[in-house]
Amino acid sequence: MNKLLAKQIIKLADTIAESKTLQKRAKKFDTYLKKWDIYRLTSSKRKEIYDLFKENNLEIIDPVTKQNINIEELDRDKKIIIRYNPKNSDKKINYEKFAENENLIFVKPASGSSPKKPYIFQAEAHKALSKFYSENNKKGLLILPTGAGKTFTAVSWLLRNVVDKNKKIIWIAHRHELLEQVKDEFKKLSFENYLPNRKDDKISIHLISGSHDKARKINKNDDILIASVQSLNRNIEYLTNNYLKKNDDIFFVIDEAHHATARTYRNLIDTITKHSKNYNILGLTATPYRTAEKEKSYLSKIFDKTPIYSKDLKDLIIDNTLSEPIFVPVKTNINFTKKDFSDKELNLLRNNFDLPEEIKKKIIEQKDRNRLIVNHYLKNKDKYKQTLIFALNQTHAIQLNELFKQNGIKTDYVISGTKSFIGVSVDKKNNQQAINDFRENKLEALVNVNILTEGTDLPNTQTVFLTRPTKSKTLMTQMVGRALRGPKAGGTDKAYIVSFIDNWSDLVAWQNPYELFVDENDILDKKASNNKYKVSFISIELINQFAKLADSTIDTDELESYSASMRIPLGWYSFELEKRISSDDIDYKSCKILVYEQHKQAYDDFANDIERLFNKYDYNKNGILDEFERQDLFEKVKETYFENLDFPEPKIQDNDILDLIEYYEIHRKMPVFFTFEEREKYDISRLVKHIIVAELNNNEEKDFIKKQWNGVNGKSIWKEFYNNNMKYFLNDIDLEKRKINYPEEFENPNLPTIEYAKEKLEDLELHKWPIEDYKMIREQVFEKWNKEHPDKKITKSDRWKYQIDHIIPFSKGGKTILSNLQPLTVAENIKKGDTIE
């Protein structure tokens, strides 16, 4: 069944149901007939539409005979009546029906060892954690700089030392994206080496927050409970009665533990220590200090004064785990004096720890300052590369983003909340899409307001722009830390920290990012080469997908398990597609699709079958697919040939598949495949095998490698391939040596198996129901309401104004059943909130 067509007919049915007059129904129906170009469709396509009409209670009636008309026989000039005739209003809802709950998953540990191995300092942290928690009722801090892998260190230790011993974990954080990140880490690390005693079990992971399951669903059997601090605090009784009182051993993890001095955190800590027989508490942070003396004393009361383990930032910079920070102060020549502020504003400036909104507004109004920020980036674009910009507030973020775009820079912004100060709607999906685009190198810069200071993994960040002053050492450390992921940790060797400095005439002492590293002066003066990887052996369009794979310094075991030949493309499809941009103008899209040996068979199978696949569809008179058929074909091709590949990297893009389909549709043949004929010259494994077989000693090996690198007259294919960066050449040689000498370490491991929990419909929120069940119960709620309130009947034409709401709130244990549902307007629903009516 074509999904797009089905959605449009469901929408049509809803519109017809709400239309008051026959004329309006007929007009809407005619609009869709023209959209589908129904009079030119084949009989099989008409039958598909007719079947969907019947499923969605739509009838076409002859006004004379009052009989149903089959849409297959519909004539262009025929007069008809379109009617919505629900036949299931008295049908019983099957509440015993089950649906998947993606917020409660069961992970079957994979055999063997996790491909991700701890660094030396992470292994040291594991030993320190084991020693500290050798007895119960301990509270300790693990301190690792941003980018040093706090989450991986904690999760890998917890799996082996807590989950494997059938003890329970509660992990709290204050942002939804942090919860998702932790869930993914537990999933990825669920291997036999971490869970030897539970290798045959299924580990349950349960997410609780405003965006996930409600706290009422907390279950004593949840192995790992990952929750927002806000949700647990609002529903402390569910945590206590459903979990703490029913489990003997609780391990409580506080992510970003410098927040633990807040009342909400302290309330949870008090609840866990009061109601748990045995407990341990672990705080994770890169910034254990809080500036307020009162908060410092609170933090020392919560956790042991001596950290369980902490790693010195200096050491991590030396060994390339963290980047070398390079500080770039930029004076804005903007002067602020006492005359610029009222007494009230000066008082706010002195006494407010964060920058007051009134002061932010004054800074934002300095137009030359914003232009300076953009111009500084433009002058240093090649050096700064991917840049994270910390703005003053939402308005500032949007202004900067627009200025960057006007100057040809690919940017986006992420801000918290549902609306900006100037009315631009923002939601979690918008933010997540922007973050993903930045992570995938589709953006050159990303503007944000504090939302990316903690937790979000953006290893490709080379530069941060600090366009906002702050008194907070914690906030400054977090902003700077976003760029500190070094080569060993998948990031960059240099991190540019660009501060835009206004002259405040001694009004206030702002934090200076350089002072965070003042003890590392010997490190900061180190001259390091630019290790940003580039390849120029084929056109840049072809290499975009390949660059991340070829960078063997990234600590990605999955990529390392690929053979050298799998990291160089076999060739590419190259073709053009004609795109109409207006009624008179056309443009051409240049398409280049890289093909690697691990994907070549999938492309070949697709090419062999494409004619047969096309022939299953009925073409219109122009001999091309309609939008429904094209979408349907794409979904079949993707599922059949390009999903569930043994080696998924580099990811095959949806647009590439759609472009190939469109090319075949126009030309009735596949585009030309160009072979990368010089590919064999770049076989690093052949070079390494020569070193091993020839049994070269250290000096002989060095001479051989230097000769290969320098070639003839200083020119060689290796310099071309590695863009004159010998370090990458040496890294690839080292990787290939290890793969030859220790092949078992690079075998592609099994992956943990994920199952989603099955839940009855009555235990799911209504928006998670299958669409057909949702429509059915919505209809029944209105019928029930109209019977019980004859003086307040809701007509079909007005139903769009209403939401279906629980009488006893879902969060308070209310079931999603007819007797517990009512229609409320949006305003009524907001006013009711989480109360019982």
Side-chain angles (χ1 to χ4, degrees):
M1 186 65 67
N2 190 291
K3 293 178 182 177
L4 185 59
L5 178 61
K7 285 181 180 178
Q8 290 191 0
I9 289 176
I10 289 171
K11 185 177 180 181
L12 173 62
D14 288 341
T15 305
I16 297 296
E18 293 162 5
S19 298
K20 291 182 178 179
T21 66
L22 293 176
Q23 187 178 11
K24 285 185 177 180
R25 294 179 183 181
K27 187 176 180 181
K28 179 59 67 174
F29 181 57
D30 191 53
T31 300
Y32 275 88
L33 292 184
K34 288 176 181 176
K35 184 174 184 177
W36 299 327
D37 204 3
I38 196 164
Y39 302 109
R40 296 170 63 186
L41 291 180
T42 59
S43 59
S44 62
K45 178 61 74 174
R46 283 195 181 200
K47 183 177 185 308
E48 183 180 356
I49 293 175
Y50 182 60
D51 290 341
L52 283 167
F53 264 52
K54 288 195 294 184
E55 283 181 26
N56 288 278
N57 309 309
L58 287 173
E59 295 178 340
I60 306 170
I61 308 296
D62 187 311
V64 178
T65 65
K66 309 296 183 186
Q67 300 295 312
N68 283 7
I69 301 172
N70 190 326
I71 201 169
E72 295 179 54
E73 303 163 1
L74 192 62
D75 187 272
R76 189 186 296 271
D77 300 320
K78 179 79 173 176
K79 290 185 177 181
I80 53 99
I81 296 173
I82 182 75
R83 184 169 69 189
Y84 178 70
N85 184 27
K87 297 181 176 63
N88 58 6
S89 59
D90 58 346
K91 188 175 178 182
K92 290 185 178 180
I93 302 290
N94 178 17
Y95 295 108
E96 295 295 313
K97 185 175 180 179
F98 287 89
E100 285 189 348
N101 179 4
E102 61 186 20
N103 299 313
L104 174 57
I105 63 172
F106 299 96
V107 183
K108 175 69 169 65
S111 59
S113 297
S114 166
K116 190 171 182 179
K117 304 292 188 289
Y119 296 117
I120 293 174
F121 73 89
Q122 291 169 332
E124 291 172 353
H126 285 174
K127 290 179 182 177
L129 286 164
S130 296
K131 182 178 179 181
F132 185 83
Y133 291 111
S134 59
E135 54 187 65
N136 286 324
N137 301 350
K138 299 292 290 290
K139 305 173 186 176
L141 273 175
L142 174 64
I143 303 171
L144 291 175
T146 301
K150 292 188 300 297
T151 304
F152 166 76
T153 304
V155 167
S156 52
W157 183 84
L158 288 166
L159 284 169
R160 179 176 286 149
N161 294 277
V162 180
V163 179
D164 193 53
K165 296 177 181 177
N166 289 301
K167 298 178 181 179
K168 304 297 185 183
I169 293 174
I170 303 172
W171 184 303
I172 64 167
H174 65 295
R175 284 190 177 158
H176 294 154
E177 61 186 24
L178 296 180
L179 304 181
E180 294 282 356
Q181 189 176 332
V182 173
K183 179 191 75 171
D184 290 342
E185 198 72 10
F186 272 111
K187 282 165 53 180
K188 288 188 293 186
L189 294 177
S190 290
F191 278 80
E192 188 177 50
N193 66 314
Y194 289 129
L195 296 158
N197 297 313
R198 300 195 63 181
K199 61 184 180 181
D200 298 322
D201 294 347
K202 291 176 182 176
I203 310 303
S204 60
I205 304 174
H206 201 172
L207 265 67
I208 303 293
S209 80
S211 297
H212 302 100
D213 267 356
K214 299 296 181 281
R216 65 185 284 266
K217 291 197 174 184
I218 293 173
N219 188 285
K220 66 176 182 179
N221 297 318
D222 296 333
D223 289 304
I224 303 162
L225 189 63
I226 304 172
S228 72
V229 62
Q230 300 90 337
S231 286
L232 291 190
N233 259 288
R234 285 195 303 266
N235 302 277
I236 204 80
E237 69 277 11
Y238 292 117
L239 175 67
T240 302
N241 298 326
N242 294 10
Y243 207 71
L244 300 180
K245 290 183 178 180
K246 296 182 179 180
N247 288 299
D248 292 335
D249 286 284
I250 299 292
F251 204 103
F252 185 41
V253 183
I254 304 174
D255 208 348
E256 305 296 351
H258 47 274
H259 294 293
T261 57
R263 181 187 55 79
T264 50
Y265 286 79
R266 299 204 310 270
N267 187 40
L268 283 177
I269 292 168
D270 290 344
T271 301
I272 287 170
T273 55
K274 179 180 178 181
H275 295 287
S276 301
K277 292 181 180 178
N278 299 300
Y279 68 84
N280 279 305
I281 299 176
L282 169 63
L284 306 176
T285 184
T287 52
Y289 37 77
R290 297 289 291 259
T291 304
E293 289 301 321
K294 185 178 179 181
E295 291 182 335
K296 283 183 180 178
S297 64
Y298 277 144
L299 202 60
S300 64
K301 289 178 182 178
I302 294 171
F303 299 104
D304 196 283
K305 290 182 179 180
T306 303
I308 302 169
Y309 181 85
S310 62
K311 188 64 178 176
D312 189 82
L313 180 66
K314 176 179 176 180
D315 293 335
L316 295 180
I317 294 173
I318 289 173
D319 72 4
N320 277 335
T321 301
L322 294 185
S323 306
E324 172 201 352
I326 299 172
F327 297 95
V328 183
V330 179
K331 291 187 177 181
T332 65
N333 297 319
I334 303 294
N335 297 307
F336 291 104
T337 66
K338 286 184 179 180
K339 296 177 182 178
D340 296 307
F341 306 103
S342 66
D343 289 341
K344 178 184 175 183
E345 287 171 338
L346 286 171
N347 191 49
L348 284 171
L349 189 59
R350 293 187 185 106
N351 298 321
N352 239 328
F353 193 69
D354 192 19
L355 200 62
E357 286 301 323
E358 292 90 336
I359 310 300
K360 289 179 183 178
K361 189 171 183 292
K362 286 185 180 291
I363 300 174
I364 292 169
E365 288 170 352
Q366 306 294 324
K367 303 299 181 186
D368 290 341
R369 189 179 190 272
N370 287 345
R371 282 193 287 271
L372 173 74
I373 293 167
V374 175
N375 289 336
H376 181 78
Y377 177 84
L378 290 170
K379 289 178 184 177
N380 298 278
K381 179 181 172 184
D382 292 340
K383 179 171 67 175
Y384 288 163
K385 297 184 171 61
Q386 282 203 282
T387 299
L388 201 56
I389 300 163
F390 289 96
L392 283 150
N393 60 18
Q394 295 176 338
T395 304
H396 193 217
I398 294 165
Q399 288 178 356
L400 282 176
N401 180 64
E402 187 59 33
L403 272 175
F404 273 99
K405 283 190 171 182
Q406 288 174 10
N407 284 274
I409 306 302
K410 295 176 184 176
T411 61
D412 206 337
Y413 63 90
V414 291
I415 57 180
S416 57
T418 55
K419 277 203 170 183
S420 74
F421 294 151
I422 59 174
V424 178
S425 294
V426 177
D427 60 27
K428 194 172 75 169
K429 287 185 179 178
N430 298 141
N431 283 343
Q432 195 55 54
Q433 184 60 54
I435 292 168
N436 290 342
D437 287 346
F438 185 77
R439 189 179 283 133
E440 294 169 9
N441 297 316
K442 295 176 183 177
L443 298 176
E444 296 166 285
L446 184 61
V447 190
N448 84 101
V449 186
N450 287 1
I451 200 170
L452 299 177
T453 55
E454 298 172 315
T456 306
D457 187 21
L458 297 170
N460 50 343
T461 303
Q462 173 105 359
T463 303
V464 293
F465 271 25
L466 307 176
T467 75
R468 54 158 300 159
T470 182
K471 294 187 203 174
S472 168
K473 191 174 183 180
T474 296
L475 178 58
M476 178 61 72
T477 304
Q478 289 165 347
M479 290 191 294
V480 169
R482 292 300 93 202
L484 289 182
R485 185 70 68 87
K488 275 191 179 179
T492 60
D493 64 317
K494 290 181 180 179
Y496 293 96
I497 315 299
V498 184
S499 307
F500 293 88
I501 302 169
D502 310 308
N503 179 14
W504 285 83
S505 305
D506 297 324
L507 282 173
V508 63
W510 301 118
Q511 281 290 334
N512 180 346
Y514 181 81
E515 291 174 358
L516 300 176
F517 303 86
V518 72
D519 295 330
E520 279 78 44
N521 285 331
D522 56 327
I523 302 302
L524 302 181
D525 293 336
K526 184 183 76 170
K527 302 297 182 184
S529 60
N530 183 348
N531 291 324
K532 193 68 177 174
Y533 186 77
K534 294 179 182 177
V535 178
S536 59
F537 68 92
I538 53 178
S539 71
I540 203 69
E541 292 90 346
L542 297 176
I543 213 60
N544 280 339
Q545 299 172 47
F546 171 65
K548 66 174 183 178
L549 264 183
D551 189 344
S552 59
T553 64
I554 295 176
D555 180 35
T556 306
D557 290 88
E558 181 183 7
L559 300 183
E560 288 187 354
S561 67
Y562 285 29
S563 66
S565 63
M566 292 170 72
R567 293 189 280 135
I568 304 173
L570 290 170
W572 60 91
Y573 289 106
S574 181
F575 54 95
E576 284 188 340
L577 287 175
E578 184 179 288
K579 297 290 183 182
R580 186 170 296 280
I581 55 177
S582 72
S583 57
D584 298 316
D585 297 323
I586 59 172
D587 202 354
Y588 293 91
K589 176 184 177 182
S590 178
C591 305
K592 290 182 174 66
I593 303 172
L594 279 173
V595 178
Y596 297 84
E597 69 177 51
Q598 59 267 35
H599 302 154
K600 185 64 165 63
Q601 189 61 51
Y603 279 102
D604 288 347
D605 291 343
F606 167 55
N608 291 334
D609 293 345
I610 192 167
E611 182 179 1
R612 176 179 59 80
L613 293 168
F614 261 82
N615 289 338
K616 288 187 176 182
Y617 294 89
D618 294 300
Y619 304 121
N620 62 25
K621 290 182 179 178
N622 294 324
I624 61 174
L625 303 174
D626 62 37
E627 62 175 307
F628 310 114
E629 291 167 330
R630 192 175 296 113
Q631 182 65 24
D632 189 54
L633 177 57
F634 160 72
E635 289 173 359
K636 287 179 181 175
V637 167
K638 183 178 178 181
E639 181 180 358
T640 305
Y641 302 96
F642 298 109
E643 286 188 349
N644 303 314
L645 297 172
D646 291 336
F647 296 90
E649 289 289 341
K651 185 179 179 183
I652 295 171
Q653 302 297 317
D654 289 354
N655 284 340
D656 290 345
I657 302 171
L658 285 164
D659 287 344
L660 286 172
I661 289 172
E662 186 174 346
Y663 183 90
Y664 185 88
E665 184 179 350
I666 296 169
H667 300 282
R668 289 297 185 273
K669 64 179 181 180
M670 287 287 284
V672 175
F673 180 75
F674 294 90
T675 303
F676 181 35
E677 295 177 352
E678 294 189 342
R679 181 171 178 267
E680 289 186 3
K681 292 182 180 179
Y682 298 92
D683 187 356
I684 198 84
S685 61
R686 187 169 59 183
L687 183 151
V688 172
K689 284 175 184 174
H690 171 79
I691 293 172
I692 294 172
V693 171
E695 297 182 345
L696 303 181
N697 61 36
N698 286 341
N699 290 330
E700 290 170 339
E701 181 180 328
K702 285 181 182 178
D703 290 340
F704 174 73
I705 290 173
K706 283 182 180 178
K707 286 179 182 178
Q708 291 291 317
W709 178 254
N710 292 320
V712 180
N713 297 324
K715 293 183 178 180
S716 73
I717 60 168
W718 299 116
K719 284 187 178 180
E720 182 182 8
F721 186 83
Y722 290 103
N723 196 39
N724 288 316
N725 194 322
M726 191 175 184
K727 182 176 177 180
Y728 281 87
F729 180 57
L730 297 174
N731 282 337
D732 247 355
I733 290 173
D734 181 60
L735 173 61
E736 285 304 311
K737 274 189 192 176
R738 287 186 284 122
K739 285 161 74 171
I740 291 170
N741 291 328
Y742 307 101
E744 67 280 358
E745 292 296 319
F746 294 90
E747 291 176 359
N748 197 40
N750 296 320
L751 296 176
T753 305
I754 309 297
E755 289 182 15
Y756 294 98
K758 302 288 185 182
E759 295 204 48
K760 295 179 182 178
L761 291 188
E762 65 180 16
D763 290 322
L764 285 175
E765 292 167 281
L766 196 53
H767 67 86
K768 295 178 182 177
W769 282 30
I771 184 66
E772 63 274 10
D773 297 291
Y774 169 79
K775 288 178 67 177
M776 193 188 305
I777 198 167
R778 181 177 167 86
E779 187 79 26
Q780 292 184 18
V781 169
F782 284 118
E783 287 185 8
K784 171 175 165 281
W785 174 269
N786 287 343
K787 285 179 183 177
E788 295 174 354
H789 304 85
D791 56 329
K792 297 180 182 179
K793 282 189 175 181
I794 301 172
T795 63
K796 286 186 176 180
S797 59
D798 285 336
R799 288 180 181 178
W800 64 272
K801 302 174 184 177
Y802 289 84
Q803 298 176 339
I804 305 302
D805 177 67
H806 291 80
I807 298 169
I808 299 174
F810 188 76
S811 63
K812 305 296 184 187
K815 298 287 187 180
T816 307
I817 55 178
L818 184 60
S819 61
N820 191 44
L821 296 174
Q822 63 183 342
L824 291 179
T825 63
V826 174
E828 289 170 340
N829 204 354
I830 292 171
K831 185 178 179 181
K832 173 180 177 286
D834 228 16
T835 59
I836 299 174
E837 289 188 350

